[in-house]
Amino acid sequence: FDKLLDENIERDCLDVLCQHLIGLFSANSGQISIQCSIFIASKIVKVYKQLKTPDLINIINLVITNTSEATIFCASYIFKMMDGISKSQIPRLINFILKQNRKDLRFASVNFLSCCFDIYGNLLEEFIPNALKFIKEFMGDEDRIVIIECINLL
């Protein structure tokens, strides 16, 4: 994969490659481990870095249309590694994440919010009250990793 990206590849081919990587999140009905999700995300980042103007709308749409722990962790990783691009698109995804009430998404959702607040900081001030309300629900969670991630977000 890395050797392939070392070559001079046309944008159309990179776009197709990215779509195939994103398509992997449909495998196994979207039930992919966090490690596998991060691995796929790392390959998407390599493709995005080859593109002069990557568009993260595909990742945002992936999370919204195929919501799972794996797609949320993928988005977190990509936003972190791409260092704050798509500032105008991130509020849409944050609003979506804040509306998620599924227990199986708690850790990924809080991790995503923490990542976004680290990257985008002051741009997200309007989301602070809702984010605090969101994590307040999880502070009594029996899953310690969720509590740790909530504290990290604070």
Side-chain angles (χ1 to χ4, degrees):
F1 186 85
D2 292 339
K3 285 185 179 186
L4 173 71
L5 289 181
D6 286 340
E7 310 222 353
N8 192 13
I9 300 176
E10 294 179 22
R11 182 179 179 102
D12 290 345
C13 291
L14 290 171
D15 288 337
V16 169
L17 180 57
C18 192
Q19 287 304 315
H20 286 299
L21 288 167
I22 290 171
L24 292 174
F25 286 96
S26 297
N28 197 30
S29 300
Q31 298 304 310
I32 299 172
S33 70
I34 294 171
Q35 295 86 350
C36 186
S37 172
I38 299 300
F39 179 78
I40 295 168
S42 72
K43 300 306 176 190
I44 293 171
V45 166
K46 287 184 180 199
V47 172
Y48 278 167
K49 287 190 175 187
Q50 290 285 328
L51 298 168
K52 300 300 180 219
T53 54
D55 186 9
L56 296 185
I57 194 70
N58 292 333
I59 300 303
I60 292 169
N61 288 338
L62 171 68
V63 173
I64 291 172
T65 60
N66 188 8
T67 309
S68 69
E69 209 177 31
T71 59
I72 295 171
F73 274 112
C74 172
S76 296
Y77 182 86
I78 290 171
F79 289 144
K80 187 181 301 181
M81 298 309 290
M82 295 304 292
D83 202 24
I85 66 170
S86 290
K87 292 175 185 164
S88 64
Q89 298 172 0
I90 201 69
R92 177 175 164 229
L93 189 52
I94 288 179
N95 274 325
F96 177 79
I97 293 294
L98 288 172
K99 292 176 184 169
Q100 298 309 302
N101 198 6
R102 291 175 31 198
K103 185 173 179 149
D104 63 321
L105 299 178
R106 287 180 177 179
F107 176 51
S109 296
V110 176
N111 175 271
F112 174 80
L113 292 171
S114 181
C115 174
C116 287
F117 279 105
D118 284 347
I119 296 167
Y120 301 99
N122 294 337
L123 294 172
L124 303 178
E125 282 185 25
E126 67 183 273
F127 296 101
I128 291 173
N130 288 337
L132 290 173
K133 190 184 316 178
F134 183 76
I135 64 170
K136 184 179 178 184
E137 295 176 29
F138 304 147
M139 290 303 285
D141 199 291
E142 66 276 355
D143 191 351
R144 298 270 187 241
I145 193 72
V146 173
I147 295 170
I148 291 169
E149 198 60 43
C150 287
I151 293 169
N152 185 37
L153 178 58
L154 293 173

